[in-house]
Amino acid sequence: MTSLFLEPFSGLSGDMLNGLLIDLGGDADKLRLALQDFSIGEYKVNVERTEKSSIYGIDFDVCIKNHGKDTGIKNDFAHHHHHESRGLVEIVNMINGSGLSGTVKEHSINVFNDIAKAEATVHNVGMKEIHFHEIGAIDSIVDIVSFFILWEQLDIDKVYSTPITEGSGTIHVAHGEMPVPVPAVMQLRKNYPLKIIQDFEVKTELVTPTGLALFKEIAPIFISPTDMYVSKVGYGFGKRNTGKFNALRGSLLTSKHSKQEVRSNNDEVIKIEVNIDDQTAEQIGFAVDKLFENGALDVFCTPIQMKKNRPGVLMTVLLKTTNFNKIAYLVFKHTNTAGFRYQTMKREVMKREFKSVEFEHDVVRAKEYKYKDITRRKLEYEDCASVAEKRGWSLYSTYKKLQNLF
Ligand SMILES: O=C([S-])c1cc(C(=O)S)c[n+]([C@@H]2O[C@H](COP(=O)(O)O)[C@@H](O)[C@H]2O)c1
Ligand code: NI
């Protein structure tokens, strides 16, 4: 499992989010194939690898075929009145009747509902009556559905984000002038803990309703993750000329320690043991890092006395049975050993679920462990340490304060 770290320093839009997921490894051909299960009209999904400030990323575009011609027009609001408009019920029925996966359907419908609610409030109509202009157009539907198809491909389990930057001033759309943040974005912000800062140098919209609704659906937590490795960095480009670097950056993160939820009380793991007497402490430390980066559940070294009176280490690696080939390869790559012992072991574990508690402006992650009638909750050390450091508190008093909020 992988986590995603988002940096919306130039806002959020459907194009940026889709472009980013493709740059992070989402497969555009598989996406086009999956979209064939969903018939909404004639369009083309254009994915171009291009650069801004010599930084390469993905420009994602849905081009609508208008009267048999490919217009190449996308997300420029002024053009949207040419597009078909659809109501919420029609869109939900289309999604439900498609061959898309259950998860893609559920997330997409949630996003449509969220936007419909916001638009209905702004324009003072009922949710069912609202005939979306933007959202009903093919490109907006494709933006939303595509995002969750790519999301499913990348198998992301957790999302983190820095605060979202929004622009300022006003924008012109078909219905007239709108303040930034646009009214639908303001509605989407209601009763949802978002961190948004406005850049008053940027006199245009950075956060679109679609971008924000997608962001809410994947529910990032606003903290900088610690104890993780960045394994890939991507950029999804925005369309507007903002006068600044207009892209959404995101990184895939691999956990140093296993952060997976555990839903069963027992499983199987493999234990590998290697005796090493001819490598430096630096080389051993490096090997341990590589094994953790590649999904080892635990790696530890025990001092041992080896033959010819050589002090050595016994390196023990615990891993999932499915990760054996990769870890075996890395053991041979990073240690000098010509062989190792291993055994499959049964493991009894407590069920583990992730929780979080909010404290002032911080979010502190926690784990809840369960086994039969036993429940134990543990706050994440890194988050408690950061709360303690910010306020000059001891770790002990921080744990005591936060534990009560749980
Ligand atoms: O068409 C309508 S009613 C419309 C309403 C609003 C409101 O905030 S209300 C905003 N917009 C603008 O349309 C474009 C496209 O947005 P997507 O989310 O579909 O990418 C964007 O500039 C919105 O601010 C349209
Ligand atoms: Ni509107």
Side-chain angles (χ1 to χ4, degrees), residues 119 122-123 133 175 178 184:
E119 288 281 345
V122 174
H123 301 300
H133 312 267
H175 299 294
M178 281 188 177

Side-chain angles (χ1 to χ4, degrees), residues 250-267:
S251 326
L252 292 182
L253 307 173
T254 321
S255 163
K256 197 167 178 180
H257 307 291
S258 166
K259 291 270 192 293
Q260 262 179 273
E261 296 210 351
V262 178
R263 293 177 201 284
S264 147
N265 278 134
N266 43 62
D267 62 358

